[in-house]
Amino acid sequence: KSLDLKGKHILIVEDNELNMEIIHTILDEYEAKIEEAYDGQQTLEKIRQSKEGEYDLILMDIMMPKMDGMSATKKIRTMNRPDAAQIPIIAMTANAFEEDARKCVEAGMNAHLSKPLQMDVVVGTIAEYYKR
């Protein structure tokens, strides 16, 4: 395990229980500190209530009830706090088309993972943000 996530605070935003469990299980192996949100609205609340820089990374599902991942990301990026612009947000979506990836980037996301999630790809993508 070359990826060091020990103590890193990762927010997983996913409305599907099974997907949430899968991601959680993988990241638990890396001893990351994990928090869960089940829709975009809940995500915004968690970020508003967090201290600046509290979250190190957000894994964001795109298709969710109440507020989708694109809208939530746009709202996070416009928050009036330095960490809102900096935090890596990685999209998780069943739509693996180039068009979707482009929309994710336009919404302010840093990377794009397609479902079904492949754990080596998830870990590799997260690793990109911790080598910096």
Side-chain angles (χ1 to χ4, degrees):
K1 292 195 304 207
S2 58
L3 180 60
D4 182 17
L5 292 179
K6 194 175 178 134
K8 294 288 184 194
H9 198 166
I10 298 176
L11 179 60
I12 304 171
V13 186
E14 170 63 75
D15 64 326
N16 178 297
E17 293 278 342
L18 182 63
N19 286 343
M20 178 70 86
E21 204 172 303
I22 291 167
I23 301 160
H24 217 296
T25 304
I26 305 277
L27 295 179
D28 276 346
E29 279 180 41
Y30 292 91
E31 298 178 50
K33 183 179 170 197
I34 296 166
E35 215 169 305
E36 301 177 348
Y38 292 90
D39 61 59
Q41 200 66 55
Q42 206 177 29
T43 305
L44 293 175
E45 278 312 300
K46 283 184 179 286
I47 291 173
R48 281 191 193 108
Q49 291 166 11
S50 70
K51 291 191 292 290
E52 190 181 307
E54 187 175 326
Y55 295 108
D56 295 298
L57 184 113
I58 300 173
L59 285 172
M60 179 84 75
D61 187 21
I62 299 298
M63 306 296 260
M64 294 180 291
K66 291 186 192 163
M67 183 188 294
D68 66 76
M70 298 274 194
S71 304
T73 298
K74 286 177 184 165
K75 284 185 166 38
I76 290 166
R77 293 300 188 214
T78 60
M79 283 180 178
N80 191 15
R81 45 191 283 182
D83 60 340
Q86 305 297 318
I87 188 167
I89 301 177
I90 301 174
M92 301 182 294
T93 176
N95 304 333
F97 304 109
E98 212 168 295
E99 171 74 6
D100 298 298
R102 193 176 52 75
K103 282 181 184 156
C104 289
V105 171
E106 283 171 3
M109 294 179 170
N110 300 82
H112 172 266
L113 296 168
S114 50
K115 292 178 180 175
L117 296 172
Q118 292 166 301
M119 280 311 117
D120 52 333
V121 178
V122 172
V123 169
T125 303
I126 291 173
E128 288 300 304
Y129 292 93
Y130 288 113
K131 285 189 179 120
R132 295 174 182 188

